[in-house]
């Protein structure tokens, strides 16, 4: 199973129109506010930090480049070829590798696992943007990428984030400039139920090792200059009995 063409086309058109540079899109906050904070919760659970690290849904590679300075082999994977073009241009030194991947296609995950072996995987805000029918296939593919020794860190907007986003979208003066393209391309967050992520992980044969809550920072601000934050939940998971 792979993602629908509508979903693929929406991401391709979004990234084709996205401005160049770090911080240019709504969720592209600086790593010290995002993956840097997440890493503090992820690293204690890594069985082998020397395994390849896959940044799944890497977009323009901001977090990928952060990881590439901290792990020996980092791969940014994304459904969108246009997103990967951004990522490669922003990484002229080639600190990371980049790979187009339909993460809802288990066969593609098996191919990547055959090339890399077991991997640790970072997933930020991917499941909630998926079509509901794609969430379990994506999680099944995640389990393939982990193999026997990998660990996964997933962070997703909490259900309460939907209220925040709805208020921003319905503002009489219009949504924030960086949120508007997300809505225009039909990428409105699906607001997966809070319990969905651990349920999908367990259904894929993975064990939830740790959970928590953190604010998910965006690159947008309210008119009074306050950075927009979304409530989020994070999960660390691993194969088998953990």
């Amino acid at each position: 199973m792979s993602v629908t063409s509508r979903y693929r086309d929406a991401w391709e058109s979004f990234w084709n129109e996205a401005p160049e540079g770090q911080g240019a899109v709504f969720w592209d906050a600086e790593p010290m506010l995002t993956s840097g904070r997440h890493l503090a919760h992820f690293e204690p659970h890594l069985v082998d930090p020397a395994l390849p690290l896959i940044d799944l849904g890497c977009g323009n590679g901001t977090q990928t480049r952060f990881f590439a300075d901290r792990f020996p082999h980092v791969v940014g994977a994304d459904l969108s070829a246009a997103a990967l073009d951004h990522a490669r241009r922003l990484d002229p030194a080639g600190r990371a590798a980049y790979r187009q991947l339909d993460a809802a296609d288990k066969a593609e995950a098996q191919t990547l696992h055959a090339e890399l072996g077991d991997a640790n995987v970072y997933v930020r805000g991917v499941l909630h943007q998926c079509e509901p029918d794609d969430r379990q296939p994506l999680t099944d593919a995640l389990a393939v990428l982990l193999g026997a020794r990998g660990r996964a860190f997933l962070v997703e907007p909490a259900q309460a984030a939907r209220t925040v986003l709805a208020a921003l979208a319905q503002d009489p003066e219009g949504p924030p400039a960086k949120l508007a393209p997300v809505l225009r391309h039909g990428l409105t967050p699906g607001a997966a139920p809070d319990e969905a992520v651990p349920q999908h992980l367990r259904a894929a044969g993975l064990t939830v090792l740790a959970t928590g809550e953190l604010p998910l920072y965006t690159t947008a601000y309210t008119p009074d200059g306050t950075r927009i934050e979304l409530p989020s939940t994070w999960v660390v998971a691993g194969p088998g009995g953990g």
Side-chain angles (χ1 to χ4, degrees):
M1 179 176 180
S2 62
V3 299
T4 64
S5 60
R6 184 210 66 80
Y7 181 71
R8 184 190 298 270
D9 292 347
W11 278 110
E12 205 63 42
S13 63
F14 173 84
W15 281 111
N16 271 316
E17 293 183 15
E20 200 70 35
Q22 182 176 323
V25 299
F26 182 70
W27 52 80
D28 195 29
E30 48 269 52
M32 293 313 298
L33 294 177
T34 50
S35 50
R37 293 188 175 193
H38 299 150
L39 196 55
H41 299 283
F42 190 21
E43 279 189 310
H45 296 279
L46 297 180
V47 173
D48 185 354
L51 292 179
L53 177 75
I54 301 171
D55 180 11
L56 187 61
C58 69
N60 64 0
T62 296
Q63 316 308 321
T64 318
R65 295 188 296 278
F66 172 85
F67 288 129
D69 290 335
R70 289 155 180 82
F71 292 93
H73 185 192
V74 175
V75 177
D78 203 279
L79 175 67
S80 166
L84 295 171
D85 287 342
H86 279 272
R88 292 186 181 101
R89 286 193 294 270
L90 290 167
D91 186 12
R95 288 179 286 168
Y98 299 94
R99 172 72 170 261
Q100 189 169 13
L101 179 72
D102 180 348
D105 188 328
K106 194 171 182 178
E108 290 195 24
Q110 290 169 332
T111 298
L112 185 55
H113 182 264
E115 295 174 14
L116 297 179
D118 293 356
N120 297 313
V121 185
Y122 175 76
V123 188
R124 183 172 69 105
V126 174
L127 278 179
H128 81 107
Q129 284 282 10
C130 286
E131 304 283 0
D133 288 346
D134 287 334
R135 291 176 188 148
Q136 190 58 53
L138 188 148
T139 316
D140 292 342
L142 173 63
V144 171
L145 295 173
L146 298 182
R149 295 181 297 149
R151 292 290 181 265
F153 183 95
L154 299 91
V155 58
E156 298 288 338
Q159 277 181 283
R162 191 170 191 173
T163 302
V164 178
L165 290 165
L168 294 170
Q170 295 164 12
D171 189 290
E173 297 184 5
K178 289 183 179 179
L179 179 59
V182 179
L183 303 176
R184 187 173 67 251
H185 287 280
L187 300 172
T188 309
D194 291 343
E195 66 275 10
V197 174
Q199 287 175 351
H200 285 307
L201 291 167
R202 293 184 182 110
L206 299 172
T207 297
V208 173
L209 304 173
T211 63
E213 299 178 357
L214 282 173
L216 195 63
Y217 292 93
T218 74
T219 61
Y221 294 80
T222 61
D224 67 3
T226 303
R227 187 192 286 261
I228 296 170
E229 302 174 9
L230 303 177
S232 76
T233 58
W234 58 265
V235 178
V236 179

